[in-house]
Amino acid sequence: MVRVDVNRFGEMEVFVRVVDLGGFSAAARALRMTPSAVSKLIARLEARLGARLVNRSTRKLQLTPEGTAFYDRSLSILADLEEAERDAAAGAAPRGHLRVNTNVPFGMHYLIPLLPGFLARHPEVTVDVTLTDKVIDLLEDRADIAIRVGPLRSSQLVARKLGESRMVLVAAPSYLEKHGAPRRPDDLTQHNLLGFGFARQSNGWPFKDTHGHVTAVVPTGNAMVSDGESMRLLVLSGLGISRLSMFHIGPDIAAGRLVPVLESHNPGDTESIHAVYVGGGHLPARVRAFLDYLVETVDLA
């Protein structure tokens, strides 16, 4: 007779995650549990089965023969459960909790304004949005979708392109009135150039000369920030010159709050924007619905 007071599928999921991630602490972070809770759960599982599944005497987790057998069977059972749930939910409306990670500018200027429309269309979905310009690990952070701006690293992630945005050097009118506008890239040595504190900024800002050759200028101003929205606010304040994507500052240029600088030397490079997610299996309806909604509604022109 089945014991209803034991969540055996939950035990299997925790045990499989411990094995896959190589330890209790890593599994606890992924599952948003404490290491002690994971350890106690595995201990209860072993006590109920009457068999030791993992050896804890070494620094590296090691499965016993019984643990290896239980792991293999657990993978099979969990796969069957997932297939059963998928078959039962075929054609059902998207539902459940969706975790989305996005960089700060895209989140503030595009994603957050689009959320009400998505949630009105899919009322059985709840959304948890994290805004950060730090590139996260989707598995470790348990994110369903992440928005990536710029070149994609080689990975097992699947990407859907949302568009491209041209890069522009800009300054506030108040800054240009006080310091003058540079006429050629060499003039930038006399200006306060505001850069970012992450690695992709290290190659500098590209400019083309009259012969079409591209050279780079490394920003060396009196301030650096870690996200694009903070940079936008600094430039709007008149502190200096920076280089940002049109998708981020287009409305500021149209309103006259920012002015393009050295456009005749702009090489026309762009940043691609993608929505990425973990592939390799069935894509939950809530994830597919959100990806489709982004492709449908995001306009970077």
Side-chain angles (χ1 to χ4, degrees):
M1 186 172 180
V2 177
R3 290 182 56 188
V4 296
D5 60 331
V6 176
N7 181 358
R8 293 188 289 177
F9 287 118
E11 290 179 340
M12 286 182 179
E13 288 178 328
V14 173
F15 175 69
V16 166
R17 191 62 68 92
V18 167
V19 176
D20 288 345
L21 296 180
F24 294 165
S25 295
R29 288 193 296 271
L31 295 167
R32 295 189 177 181
M33 300 171 64
T34 64
S36 63
V38 171
S39 179
K40 289 177 181 178
L41 186 147
I42 299 301
R44 287 197 303 269
L45 174 61
E46 291 176 325
R48 184 168 61 81
L49 297 177
R52 178 175 290 276
L53 302 178
V54 294
N55 287 322
R56 301 168 176 79
S57 58
T58 60
R59 291 176 62 86
K60 184 177 180 181
L61 182 144
Q62 187 178 49
L63 286 176
T64 64
E66 293 80 8
T68 299
F70 187 74
Y71 173 77
D72 292 338
R73 291 298 301 274
S74 294
L75 285 179
S76 177
I77 291 170
L78 290 171
D80 289 342
L81 175 62
E82 182 178 351
E83 183 177 358
E85 290 179 341
R86 183 168 64 246
D87 291 343
R95 59 171 54 88
H97 196 58
L98 181 72
R99 295 181 177 88
V100 182
N101 180 284
T102 177
N103 76 326
V104 179
F106 187 89
M108 294 187 65
H109 295 273
Y110 287 85
L111 186 58
I112 298 299
L114 293 176
L115 275 185
F118 173 77
L119 293 172
R121 183 181 297 185
H122 302 290
E124 295 186 67
V125 176
T126 59
V127 181
D128 178 357
V129 179
T130 299
L131 274 65
T132 174
D133 277 18
K134 178 183 177 182
V135 176
I136 62 139
D137 183 311
L138 269 71
L139 288 175
E140 185 174 338
D141 284 63
R142 302 184 68 197
D144 296 300
I145 298 171
I147 305 300
R148 298 276 168 84
V149 178
L152 293 176
R153 299 177 182 175
S154 177
S155 72
Q156 308 246 334
L157 299 177
V158 181
R160 288 186 68 175
K161 190 172 183 178
L162 302 179
E164 292 188 352
S165 184
R166 192 169 70 93
M167 301 297 295
V168 185
L169 198 71
V170 290
S174 60
Y175 177 89
L176 297 177
E177 289 171 7
K178 184 175 181 180
H179 301 279
R183 298 180 179 276
R184 55 185 185 274
D186 289 347
D187 294 340
L188 292 174
T189 59
Q190 306 301 316
H191 289 270
N192 193 30
L193 310 183
L194 306 175
F196 292 95
F198 42 76
R200 68 176 183 173
Q201 189 64 40
S202 61
N203 293 329
W205 300 341
F207 295 97
K208 65 179 182 179
D209 61 22
T210 54
H211 303 289
H213 300 133
V214 177
T215 58
V217 173
V218 177
T220 54
N222 60 5
M224 289 193 303
V225 293
S226 62
D227 69 88
E229 185 62 15
S230 296
M231 180 61 74
R232 170 179 170 268
L233 295 175
L234 283 183
V235 179
L236 284 170
S237 74
L239 181 63
I241 300 173
S242 192
R243 197 166 189 264
L244 296 162
S245 294
M246 276 296 293
F247 88 83
H248 187 191
I249 56 171
D252 294 316
I253 293 175
R257 293 186 293 268
L258 293 177
V259 178
V261 175
L262 294 176
E263 273 292 271
S264 62
H265 294 274
N266 191 331
D269 56 314
T270 62
E271 281 193 325
S272 297
I273 301 176
H274 293 85
V276 300
Y277 57 95
V278 178
H282 172 71
L283 193 62
R286 67 185 185 280
V287 176
R288 177 173 282 109
F290 194 74
L291 290 168
D292 291 343
Y293 189 78
L294 287 176
V295 172
E296 173 190 338
T297 56
V298 170
D299 183 8
L300 299 177

